[in-house]
Structure formats: structure tokens, C-alpha cells
Amino acid sequence: MDSIDLTVPAVRARVEELGAAAERSIMADFVARHPELLNAPLDADIRNKQVIDAVMTQNGLALTPENLEWSYRVALDAGELTLPMYHPAESQAFERMSTKQIGEYLKARYQAPRPPNAWEFFPETGERTPRNESSAMDEEALVALREKLMGIR
């Protein structure tokens, strides 16, 4: 039976090193999934971490990606986290931008694309084929084809 003897100083140091690396990796992945946490000033950032850690401690949870995500959601739903809308650098840049530039920036940075809607592809009354933007023929070609088939041309 293989076991790890933590009384050996070298083994204990290596296990602690691996544990710290795992914690850093979990935290880095978590912050990558939630960049809004990076927008908070230092004091709010520290408080947010304390709140999330408190939720994990109160529920007796180990540090895992799933538990960290769950604790974040619980704290967020309870309104205990401080998450500013924009990064401080963005707020400073907004002061030097025109309204049009701000609008273009926010649209490019934060506007989510409209989700696809299947109803757009269903035929309307009297159509034989669905409307589809990926159709190889443009409107003029379709009119010409209709006229040819109907004997107008």
C-alpha cells in the first residue's frame, strides 16, 4: 500500500507547494470566468473575497471550482458583493471620449450578439421556402428567376 508520509519535511513541503499551486490555478480560472471582479477597487476586491470565503466556510466547503462558483452565486444573489459596472481605466477614458465614441466602444465591448431565433427561418404565408440570409441567390436573382419561370421574360 502506497502512502505519503507527511512527517518527512521534504515530502510535506512538496505537498504544500502542490496544494498552493492548485489553489492559485482554481482562483485564476475563477477570475478568468468572472472578469467583473477585476473592476472592483482594492478595498471592495478584498471584501468580495472575504464574503465568498465566508460563504464557503459557513457551508463547510473545500476549495474546488464548483464550490467557489456556488459560493460566488450565493453571495451575488444575496447582494453582498460590490461589483462596479466599468473598470476604473474605462471610467477615466470615458471623460475624454465623445458620446459617439463611448457608444461605439460600449457596443463593441459589451453588446452581446442577438441570440438566433428559429422563427426567422420559417416560411411566411405563401412562401414555399424559408427566408434565409445564407441563401446563395440575392433578391434580384430571385425576381429574375420568378419572371423566367412565369414566362414574363
Side-chain angles (χ1 to χ4, degrees):
M1 182 166 105
D2 293 333
S3 64
I4 298 174
D5 186 7
L6 294 178
T7 59
V8 176
V11 172
R12 182 175 186 84
R14 181 67 177 148
V15 168
E16 288 175 356
E17 178 186 343
L18 292 173
E23 285 182 14
R24 284 192 304 273
S25 176
I26 290 170
M27 296 303 272
D29 290 344
F30 176 73
V31 171
R33 282 192 315 274
H34 297 286
E36 66 274 11
L37 291 169
L38 300 175
N39 292 344
L42 182 60
D43 58 338
D45 187 33
I46 292 169
R47 185 181 174 287
N48 287 343
K49 184 177 182 335
Q50 291 170 343
V51 168
I52 293 170
D53 288 345
V55 170
M56 290 183 68
T57 302
Q58 289 169 357
N59 292 287
L61 301 174
L63 181 62
T64 65
E66 296 81 15
N67 292 343
L68 190 57
E69 185 70 31
W70 182 83
S71 299
Y72 169 77
R73 292 290 169 203
V74 168
L76 186 64
D77 292 343
E80 296 177 10
L81 298 179
T82 304
L83 300 174
M85 184 171 258
Y86 302 111
H87 191 276
E90 288 177 322
S91 298
Q92 291 173 355
F94 291 158
E95 295 172 5
R96 296 184 304 272
M97 297 169 102
S98 69
T99 304
K100 184 178 179 182
Q101 290 172 327
I102 292 173
E104 290 170 358
Y105 172 78
L106 293 176
K107 186 175 182 180
R109 171 104 173 145
Y110 294 105
Q111 184 76 27
R114 201 173 111 215
N117 184 351
W119 286 106
E120 293 175 358
F121 300 106
F122 284 107
E124 290 184 354
T125 305
E127 289 183 331
R128 292 183 179 196
T129 59
R131 291 173 283 125
N132 188 344
E133 288 79 21
S134 66
S135 175
M137 299 179 80
D138 62 350
E139 191 63 34
E140 292 175 5
L142 288 172
V143 169
L145 180 62
R146 283 189 196 118
E147 290 175 353
K148 181 179 177 185
L149 291 173
M150 294 173 63
I152 298 173
R153 280 191 177 180

